[in-house]
């Protein structure tokens, strides 16, 4: 038909294959060329017809047919599989950096679907799996994140040097270890971090990276209850960061705070005070005195002062509590921890009535936090234990017994009968039993507590020594036994 016409070639990103795969823009398709780009065409054909009949003068009947129509070929360009894997991966990474996790995951899954069809697998598959793991990690889908990181590591090892991990493998090992640590698999995380640490020790000029790995190793040891090893790792992290960054850098705050926490766990309170004071000075310099991080360190320092029986404990904890109330609200676990420590500080300065009131308020905060799903029964037990000791100091044995009994019930259920904290509460409950006139039962409880402390802490730990002393004192004070008057107490 001489009236037919053609339209310019066009392809838009809004057009798709029907399988969720977006079209390439025409200019992008031309840039990639026929080796890296494929084309499909959608055909639209429409026809219309008209029939007529007539009889010629000669008597011949004529049938006429008129047909008109249009043919539309619409191109759809898409990258070949390997190129598409790369394109989709970079697009997913861009979405991830913009915080668009759902779009990033969807695009990343497209890259992986195409890559799985290729043999050999493209090297970018490892990066795409790592990215998908990071997306799941940010969305708190820890099992999926771990699975992605593990598969990414397998693929990266295929393309890497068998003798030592590549930078790409190190990145995935660190991500995998972090996900494992968050999911409670501290032993597996420790293995990942140790591989990275060993690899970095063979390299030069890796001071900052090695410091970061020591910090992660410290976190893994801490989660496993290996506080001595954690202390060593955090100390190495601090030394390397000081070497690389100087003694006043912001990045020293985290290892200093963790060193303080581990020293507390090991009952090295003078060392803990030193670390917290250094961290506090840096926080005030870089973050300000009213920053929440500064307040947290101030509260931890106050808890150490409580153990050292120093008068600075109360003002430290009150200062921390003021900031936390403003920044966190009235039922946050961090605020409850500070209130707990403030109660102990008040008790250590002889303010028993104020301490009891503070600890009772702390229990209310813990329970409100639990109602919101952000509290722990272990914290309730710790506050009940402290409140029981305050009531002992106030010579209210009945209230003390009620607190210790409730704390013991929680700790036995959560930690087990032999755990040091359970044994410590049992020890205190036994002393209250003596005050209430049941020395026989008290001695049985003391012996049970001492067995648990010996098993877990050894014979030279202060808690074990105190339990043995109190048991011997109780034995010697019983009728028919030689010895002095009862002088028990912790």
């Amino acid at each position: 038909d001489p009236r037919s016409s053609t339209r310019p070639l066009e392809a838009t990103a809004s057009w798709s294959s029907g399988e969720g795969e977006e079209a390439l823009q025409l200019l992008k398709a031309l840039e990639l060329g026929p080796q890296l780009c494929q084309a499909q065409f959608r055909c639209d054909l429409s026809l219309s017809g008209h029939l007529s009949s007539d009889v010629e003068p000669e008597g011949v009947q004529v049938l006429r047919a008129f047909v008109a129509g249009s043919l539309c070929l619409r191109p759809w360009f898409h990258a070949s599989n390997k190129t598409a894997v790369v394109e989709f991966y970079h697009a997913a990474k861009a979405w991830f950096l913009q915080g668009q996790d759902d779009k990033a995951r969807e695009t990343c899954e497209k890259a992986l679907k195409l890559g799985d069809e290729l043999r050999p697998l493209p090297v970018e598959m490892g990066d795409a799996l790592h990215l998908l793991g990071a997306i799941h990690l940010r969305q708190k889908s820890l099992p999926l994140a771990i699975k992605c990181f593990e598969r990414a590591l397998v693929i990266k090892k295929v393309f890497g040097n068998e003798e030592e991990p590549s930078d790409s493998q190190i990145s995935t090992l660190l991500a995998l270890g972090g996900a494992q640590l968050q999911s409670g698999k501290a032993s597996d995380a420790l293995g990942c971090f140790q591989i990275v640490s060993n690899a970095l020790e063979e390299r030069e000029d890796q001071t900052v990276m090695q410091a970061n790995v020591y910090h992660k190793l410290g976190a893994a040891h801490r989660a496993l209850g290996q506080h001595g090893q954690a202390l060593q790792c955090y100390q190495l992290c601090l030394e390397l960061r000081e070497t690389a960054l100087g003694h006043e850098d912001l990045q020293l705050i985290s290892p200093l705070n963790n060193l303080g926490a581990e020293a507390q766990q090991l009952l090295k309170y003078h060392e803990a005070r030193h670390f917290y004071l250094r961290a506090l000075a840096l926080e005030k310099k870089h973050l300000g005195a009213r920053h929440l991080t500064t307040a947290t360190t101030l509260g931890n320092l106050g808890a150490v002062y409580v153990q050292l029986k120093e008068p600075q404990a109360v003002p430290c904890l009150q200062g921390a509590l003021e900031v936390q109330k403003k920044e966190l609200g009235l039922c946050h676990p961090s605020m409850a921890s500070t209130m707990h420590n403030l109660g102990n500080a008040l008790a250590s300065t002889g303010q028993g009535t104020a301490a009891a009131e503070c600890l009772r308020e702390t229990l209310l905060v813990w329970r409100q936090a639990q109602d919101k799903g952000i509290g722990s029964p272990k914290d309730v037990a710790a506050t009940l234990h402290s409140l029981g000791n305050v009531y002992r100091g106030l010579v209210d044995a009945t209230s003390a017994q009620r607190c210790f009994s409730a704390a013991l019930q929680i700790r036995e259920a959560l930690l087990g009968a032999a755990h040091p904290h359970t044994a410590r509460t049992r020890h205190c409950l036994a002393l209250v039993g003596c005050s209430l006139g049941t020395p026989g039962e008290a001695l049985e409880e003391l012996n049970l507590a001492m067995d648990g402390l010996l098993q877990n802490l050894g014979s030279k730990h202060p808690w074990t020594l105190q339990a043995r002393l109190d048991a011997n004192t109780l034995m010697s004070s019983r009728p028919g036994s030689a010895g002095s008057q009862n002088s028990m107490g912790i």
Side-chain angles (χ1 to χ4, degrees):
D1 188 337
R3 294 173 295 174
S4 66
S5 62
T6 59
R7 300 179 188 177
L9 191 65
E10 58 182 31
T12 63
S14 61
W15 205 85
S16 77
S17 65
E19 297 177 356
E21 192 173 352
E22 292 183 351
L24 293 174
Q25 295 286 347
L26 176 59
L27 292 178
K28 183 65 175 179
L30 293 173
E31 177 187 336
L32 293 174
Q35 297 298 320
L36 301 177
C37 180
Q38 299 174 357
Q40 296 177 3
F41 289 88
R42 179 175 177 178
C43 178
D44 291 320
L45 176 63
S46 63
L47 297 172
S48 62
H50 175 69
L51 294 175
S52 66
S53 63
D54 198 4
V55 178
E56 296 291 336
E58 296 82 3
V60 178
Q61 189 173 15
V62 178
L63 179 65
R64 293 182 176 88
F66 297 90
V67 180
S70 63
L71 174 64
C72 177
L73 295 176
R74 188 171 188 181
W76 175 68
F77 297 106
H78 63 95
S80 62
N81 279 6
K82 183 172 182 180
T83 306
V85 170
V86 178
E87 292 285 332
F88 282 132
Y89 164 67
H90 287 299
K93 187 174 181 181
W95 286 123
F96 179 76
L97 293 175
Q98 294 174 29
Q100 300 285 337
D101 287 351
D102 290 337
K103 292 182 179 179
R105 186 184 67 251
E106 180 183 349
T107 310
C108 202
E109 288 171 348
K110 289 178 183 179
L112 293 170
K113 180 180 178 181
L114 292 173
D116 277 334
E117 297 173 358
L118 298 176
R119 292 295 179 273
L121 291 174
V123 65
E124 292 81 8
M125 285 285 286
D127 295 328
L129 280 163
H130 181 113
L131 177 58
L132 186 59
I135 296 167
H136 286 308
L137 185 62
R138 194 153 73 180
Q139 294 183 328
K140 306 300 181 183
S141 300
L142 295 177
L144 290 175
I146 290 172
K147 184 177 180 180
C148 289
F149 289 137
E150 288 175 339
R151 190 179 172 204
L153 194 59
V154 170
I155 293 175
K156 289 182 177 184
K157 285 180 178 178
V158 172
F159 293 98
N161 186 340
E162 293 185 1
E163 294 182 0
E164 64 178 40
S166 64
D167 289 345
S168 180
Q169 290 175 43
I170 284 175
S171 175
T172 300
L173 280 165
L174 291 174
L176 174 59
Q180 290 169 333
L181 192 59
Q182 288 187 46
S183 64
K185 299 178 179 180
S187 182
D188 293 339
L190 185 65
C192 289
F193 298 147
Q194 193 62 63
I195 293 171
V196 175
S197 179
N198 294 340
L200 292 178
E201 286 176 357
E202 302 297 323
R203 303 184 184 185
E204 297 180 357
D205 301 325
Q206 294 289 332
T207 304
V208 175
M209 174 66 81
Q210 182 67 292
N212 295 340
V213 176
Y214 278 133
H215 199 274
K216 293 178 183 295
L217 279 168
H221 282 300
R222 183 178 187 175
L224 290 168
Q226 300 168 352
H227 299 293
Q229 294 94 319
L231 189 73
Q232 292 175 5
C233 289
Y234 289 130
Q235 185 67 57
L236 289 169
C237 170
L238 178 65
E239 292 171 0
L240 289 176
R241 287 187 179 177
E242 286 177 330
T243 299
L245 306 171
H247 293 268
E248 298 293 322
D249 194 85
L250 180 68
Q251 293 186 51
L252 302 184
I253 291 173
S254 181
L256 282 168
N257 274 317
N258 284 316
L259 281 165
E262 293 311 301
Q264 271 185 280
Q265 288 289 335
L266 296 168
L267 309 183
K268 298 179 178 181
Y269 296 116
H270 289 90
E271 291 183 27
R273 177 180 60 184
H274 165 73
F275 292 130
Y276 284 139
L277 284 171
R278 277 199 65 190
L280 190 63
L282 290 176
E283 287 163 351
K284 288 181 177 179
K285 175 181 177 180
H286 292 286
L287 305 175
R290 308 292 296 178
H291 194 277
L292 185 57
T293 300
T294 309
T296 300
T297 302
L298 188 62
N300 291 335
L301 178 62
V304 169
Y305 281 142
V306 171
Q307 298 299 326
L308 294 174
K309 302 187 185 306
E310 295 188 8
Q312 300 98 312
V314 172
C316 277
L317 291 162
Q318 288 174 335
L321 192 59
E322 181 183 351
V323 176
Q324 289 174 334
K325 282 183 177 179
K326 180 180 179 181
E327 297 295 328
L328 301 175
L330 298 178
C331 63
H332 194 277
S334 295
M335 197 193 76
S337 295
T338 303
M339 291 178 65
H340 172 101
N341 291 328
L342 178 58
N344 289 338
L346 291 168
S348 69
T349 57
Q351 303 177 62
T353 302
E357 182 179 355
C358 183
L359 291 170
R360 285 194 296 267
E361 290 179 7
T362 305
L363 286 174
L364 292 176
V365 176
W366 282 132
R367 284 162 183 159
Q368 289 172 358
Q370 279 187 286
D371 290 341
K372 294 184 177 182
I374 55 176
S376 168
K378 288 191 292 185
D379 299 317
V380 175
T383 300
L384 283 166
H385 181 103
S386 292
L387 184 56
N389 274 327
V390 170
Y391 281 132
R392 282 185 63 210
L394 293 172
V395 199
D396 185 351
T398 301
S399 296
Q401 185 185 48
R402 187 167 59 249
C403 290
F404 286 131
S405 296
L408 183 62
Q409 183 178 3
I410 295 172
R411 285 180 164 174
E412 280 187 325
L414 294 178
L415 306 175
H419 192 279
H421 289 163
T422 308
R424 184 75 161 165
T425 300
R426 191 184 302 279
H427 182 175
C428 293
L429 182 60
L431 299 184
V432 172
C434 292
S435 302
L436 293 173
T438 56
E441 294 177 10
L443 184 59
E444 291 180 10
E445 292 294 308
L446 265 176
N447 286 330
L448 282 174
M450 189 163 58
D451 289 342
L453 294 169
L454 278 169
Q455 178 182 341
N456 289 280
L457 302 179
S459 60
K460 296 183 179 180
H461 192 278
W463 290 2
T464 309
L465 294 173
Q466 184 66 55
R468 179 181 288 112
L469 175 63
D470 287 344
N472 290 338
T473 302
L474 181 57
M475 284 288 294
S476 64
S477 64
R478 296 182 70 184
S481 299
S484 61
Q485 294 295 316
N486 190 328
S487 61
M488 297 181 295
I490 55 174

